[in-house]
Amino acid sequence: FRGRYVKFSRNMPQSPWVLDGERKGEGSVEECICVPAARVFGAGACKFHAEGREDIDVRMLGAGRPFVIEVKNAQRLSPSCGELEAAVNSADGGQVQIRRLARCSASDMAALQKDAENHRKTYLAECWSQRPLVEADLAPLRSRRDVDVLQKTPVRVLHRRAPAVRPRTVHWLDPVLTDEHYFTLRLNVQAGTYIKEFVHGDLGRTR
């Protein structure tokens, strides 16, 4: 099946995350979808594949993130997409919701990662500045278009990802001043951009 998921929790990884023998977060998106799916179909296993991922403390809103699940060794084939959606959306306090569910072929799964980095995504960040700001400070951000940045693997994920330098494009920025120290930044970027690191620089690792 293919569909899209939204995630409302700020403490949930996409897949089960165990670090130094300790489970991180409250469940996972994968479990919120696959456990009800396996139960509905009486399946022996369920595999989850998504187009990219968000951080454990980041919500996934809007139209949702595309995903595919493989339901294996199903004992029941009659449940509809609507029944599966209802089972997932009513589980785990509704922290994960799925929509636009449909049966699909294996090629849909292969296309997920193939197309992932060609997409553009829009994010919203709440930013803080130590220095008091005025409206004129934000004007240069609005004028920038298609800015190329180089991002080294973030410090926060170096323990589980190889060091690398990733070129990414920030297509546009739309800041709105909240008060003299806070502003909301809406930005449209190439998929795979590390948003937190773009905002704070990551000790100079994003330039």
PDB file of all heavy atoms in Angstrom, residues 63-78:
ATOM      1  N   ALA A  63       0.481  18.160   3.679  1.00  0.00           N
ATOM      2  CA  ALA A  63      -0.034  17.046   2.877  1.00  0.00           C
ATOM      3  C   ALA A  63       0.480  15.701   3.351  1.00  0.00           C
ATOM      4  O   ALA A  63      -0.051  14.655   2.973  1.00  0.00           O
ATOM      5  CB  ALA A  63       0.337  17.252   1.408  1.00  0.00           C
ATOM      6  N   GLY A  64       1.522  15.718   4.177  1.00  0.00           N
ATOM      7  CA  GLY A  64       2.056  14.463   4.697  1.00  0.00           C
ATOM      8  C   GLY A  64       3.229  13.943   3.893  1.00  0.00           C
ATOM      9  O   GLY A  64       3.495  14.395   2.783  1.00  0.00           O
ATOM     10  N   ARG A  65       3.949  12.969   4.472  1.00  0.00           N
ATOM     11  CA  ARG A  65       5.116  12.375   3.822  1.00  0.00           C
ATOM     12  C   ARG A  65       4.720  11.070   3.136  1.00  0.00           C
ATOM     13  O   ARG A  65       4.069  10.209   3.753  1.00  0.00           O
ATOM     14  CB  ARG A  65       6.209  12.098   4.862  1.00  0.00           C
ATOM     15  CG  ARG A  65       7.518  11.595   4.252  1.00  0.00           C
ATOM     16  CD  ARG A  65       8.558  11.291   5.321  1.00  0.00           C
ATOM     17  NE  ARG A  65       8.943  12.467   6.081  1.00  0.00           N
ATOM     18  CZ  ARG A  65       9.813  13.388   5.695  1.00  0.00           C
ATOM     19  NH1 ARG A  65      10.387  13.273   4.499  1.00  0.00           N
ATOM     20  NH2 ARG A  65      10.120  14.418   6.462  1.00  0.00           N
ATOM     21  N   PRO A  66       5.112  10.884   1.864  1.00  0.00           N
ATOM     22  CA  PRO A  66       4.785   9.636   1.154  1.00  0.00           C
ATOM     23  C   PRO A  66       5.462   8.425   1.805  1.00  0.00           C
ATOM     24  O   PRO A  66       6.605   8.501   2.246  1.00  0.00           O
ATOM     25  CB  PRO A  66       5.333   9.874  -0.252  1.00  0.00           C
ATOM     26  CG  PRO A  66       5.404  11.361  -0.403  1.00  0.00           C
ATOM     27  CD  PRO A  66       5.762  11.866   0.962  1.00  0.00           C
ATOM     28  N   PHE A  67       4.730   7.322   1.841  1.00  0.00           N
ATOM     29  CA  PHE A  67       5.281   6.075   2.370  1.00  0.00           C
ATOM     30  C   PHE A  67       4.673   4.892   1.630  1.00  0.00           C
ATOM     31  O   PHE A  67       3.645   5.002   0.953  1.00  0.00           O
ATOM     32  CB  PHE A  67       5.008   5.937   3.876  1.00  0.00           C
ATOM     33  CG  PHE A  67       3.569   5.636   4.212  1.00  0.00           C
ATOM     34  CD1 PHE A  67       3.113   4.320   4.317  1.00  0.00           C
ATOM     35  CD2 PHE A  67       2.656   6.664   4.412  1.00  0.00           C
ATOM     36  CE1 PHE A  67       1.788   4.036   4.615  1.00  0.00           C
ATOM     37  CE2 PHE A  67       1.329   6.396   4.708  1.00  0.00           C
ATOM     38  CZ  PHE A  67       0.892   5.076   4.804  1.00  0.00           C
ATOM     39  N   VAL A  68       5.331   3.751   1.767  1.00  0.00           N
ATOM     40  CA  VAL A  68       4.833   2.475   1.245  1.00  0.00           C
ATOM     41  C   VAL A  68       4.993   1.440   2.343  1.00  0.00           C
ATOM     42  O   VAL A  68       5.997   1.438   3.055  1.00  0.00           O
ATOM     43  CB  VAL A  68       5.618   2.030  -0.014  1.00  0.00           C
ATOM     44  CG1 VAL A  68       5.284   0.592  -0.387  1.00  0.00           C
ATOM     45  CG2 VAL A  68       5.325   2.947  -1.188  1.00  0.00           C
ATOM     46  N   ILE A  69       3.995   0.576   2.515  1.00  0.00           N
ATOM     47  CA  ILE A  69       4.154  -0.562   3.413  1.00  0.00           C
ATOM     48  C   ILE A  69       3.955  -1.856   2.631  1.00  0.00           C
ATOM     49  O   ILE A  69       3.136  -1.920   1.717  1.00  0.00           O
ATOM     50  CB  ILE A  69       3.186  -0.529   4.622  1.00  0.00           C
ATOM     51  CG1 ILE A  69       1.729  -0.444   4.177  1.00  0.00           C
ATOM     52  CG2 ILE A  69       3.537   0.592   5.574  1.00  0.00           C
ATOM     53  CD1 ILE A  69       0.733  -0.652   5.320  1.00  0.00           C
ATOM     54  N   GLU A  70       4.752  -2.843   2.992  1.00  0.00           N
ATOM     55  CA  GLU A  70       4.612  -4.188   2.441  1.00  0.00           C
ATOM     56  C   GLU A  70       3.982  -5.069   3.517  1.00  0.00           C
ATOM     57  O   GLU A  70       4.575  -5.271   4.580  1.00  0.00           O
ATOM     58  CB  GLU A  70       5.973  -4.773   2.089  1.00  0.00           C
ATOM     59  CG  GLU A  70       6.776  -4.020   1.060  1.00  0.00           C
ATOM     60  CD  GLU A  70       8.138  -4.657   0.889  1.00  0.00           C
ATOM     61  OE1 GLU A  70       8.223  -5.716   0.209  1.00  0.00           O
ATOM     62  OE2 GLU A  70       9.117  -4.125   1.451  1.00  0.00           O
ATOM     63  N   VAL A  71       2.806  -5.568   3.259  1.00  0.00           N
ATOM     64  CA  VAL A  71       2.131  -6.479   4.191  1.00  0.00           C
ATOM     65  C   VAL A  71       2.434  -7.903   3.736  1.00  0.00           C
ATOM     66  O   VAL A  71       2.040  -8.298   2.634  1.00  0.00           O
ATOM     67  CB  VAL A  71       0.613  -6.217   4.219  1.00  0.00           C
ATOM     68  CG1 VAL A  71      -0.079  -7.182   5.170  1.00  0.00           C
ATOM     69  CG2 VAL A  71       0.337  -4.768   4.630  1.00  0.00           C
ATOM     70  N   LYS A  72       3.133  -8.663   4.563  1.00  0.00           N
ATOM     71  CA  LYS A  72       3.625  -9.984   4.151  1.00  0.00           C
ATOM     72  C   LYS A  72       2.859 -11.111   4.825  1.00  0.00           C
ATOM     73  O   LYS A  72       2.498 -11.027   5.998  1.00  0.00           O
ATOM     74  CB  LYS A  72       5.118 -10.107   4.475  1.00  0.00           C
ATOM     75  CG  LYS A  72       5.975  -9.087   3.739  1.00  0.00           C
ATOM     76  CD  LYS A  72       7.441  -9.422   3.845  1.00  0.00           C
ATOM     77  CE  LYS A  72       8.255  -8.560   2.904  1.00  0.00           C
ATOM     78  NZ  LYS A  72       9.679  -8.968   2.867  1.00  0.00           N
ATOM     79  N   ASN A  73       2.621 -12.179   4.051  1.00  0.00           N
ATOM     80  CA  ASN A  73       1.953 -13.389   4.558  1.00  0.00           C
ATOM     81  C   ASN A  73       0.605 -13.066   5.195  1.00  0.00           C
ATOM     82  O   ASN A  73       0.283 -13.524   6.293  1.00  0.00           O
ATOM     83  CB  ASN A  73       2.845 -14.119   5.573  1.00  0.00           C
ATOM     84  CG  ASN A  73       4.180 -14.517   4.971  1.00  0.00           C
ATOM     85  OD1 ASN A  73       4.239 -14.973   3.835  1.00  0.00           O
ATOM     86  ND2 ASN A  73       5.255 -14.330   5.733  1.00  0.00           N
ATOM     87  N   ALA A  74      -0.194 -12.254   4.483  1.00  0.00           N
ATOM     88  CA  ALA A  74      -1.508 -11.863   5.006  1.00  0.00           C
ATOM     89  C   ALA A  74      -2.472 -13.053   4.989  1.00  0.00           C
ATOM     90  O   ALA A  74      -2.548 -13.788   3.994  1.00  0.00           O
ATOM     91  CB  ALA A  74      -2.077 -10.723   4.174  1.00  0.00           C
ATOM     92  N   GLN A  75      -3.198 -13.219   6.075  1.00  0.00           N
ATOM     93  CA  GLN A  75      -4.207 -14.272   6.169  1.00  0.00           C
ATOM     94  C   GLN A  75      -5.569 -13.778   5.697  1.00  0.00           C
ATOM     95  O   GLN A  75      -6.447 -14.574   5.384  1.00  0.00           O
ATOM     96  CB  GLN A  75      -4.318 -14.762   7.625  1.00  0.00           C
ATOM     97  CG  GLN A  75      -3.018 -15.319   8.188  1.00  0.00           C
ATOM     98  CD  GLN A  75      -2.513 -16.505   7.395  1.00  0.00           C
ATOM     99  OE1 GLN A  75      -3.242 -17.460   7.156  1.00  0.00           O
ATOM    100  NE2 GLN A  75      -1.261 -16.429   6.943  1.00  0.00           N
ATOM    101  N   ARG A  76      -5.730 -12.448   5.682  1.00  0.00           N
ATOM    102  CA  ARG A  76      -6.995 -11.860   5.230  1.00  0.00           C
ATOM    103  C   ARG A  76      -6.694 -10.848   4.131  1.00  0.00           C
ATOM    104  O   ARG A  76      -5.823 -10.000   4.291  1.00  0.00           O
ATOM    105  CB  ARG A  76      -7.720 -11.177   6.391  1.00  0.00           C
ATOM    106  CG  ARG A  76      -8.204 -12.131   7.467  1.00  0.00           C
ATOM    107  CD  ARG A  76      -9.038 -11.415   8.514  1.00  0.00           C
ATOM    108  NE  ARG A  76      -8.257 -10.460   9.295  1.00  0.00           N
ATOM    109  CZ  ARG A  76      -7.530 -10.793  10.367  1.00  0.00           C
ATOM    110  NH1 ARG A  76      -7.473 -12.057  10.766  1.00  0.00           N
ATOM    111  NH2 ARG A  76      -6.857  -9.871  11.039  1.00  0.00           N
ATOM    112  N   LEU A  77      -7.436 -10.917   3.024  1.00  0.00           N
ATOM    113  CA  LEU A  77      -7.230 -10.001   1.908  1.00  0.00           C
ATOM    114  C   LEU A  77      -8.404  -9.052   1.695  1.00  0.00           C
ATOM    115  O   LEU A  77      -8.333  -8.148   0.868  1.00  0.00           O
ATOM    116  CB  LEU A  77      -6.990 -10.797   0.617  1.00  0.00           C
ATOM    117  CG  LEU A  77      -5.774 -11.735   0.628  1.00  0.00           C
ATOM    118  CD1 LEU A  77      -5.690 -12.483  -0.701  1.00  0.00           C
ATOM    119  CD2 LEU A  77      -4.499 -10.954   0.876  1.00  0.00           C
ATOM    120  N   SER A  78      -9.491  -9.264   2.444  1.00  0.00           N
ATOM    121  CA  SER A  78     -10.712  -8.502   2.202  1.00  0.00           C
ATOM    122  C   SER A  78     -10.720  -7.077   2.766  1.00  0.00           C
ATOM    123  O   SER A  78     -11.455  -6.229   2.234  1.00  0.00           O
ATOM    124  CB  SER A  78     -11.922  -9.264   2.767  1.00  0.00           C
ATOM    125  OG  SER A  78     -11.750  -9.490   4.160  1.00  0.00           O
TER     126      SER A  78
END
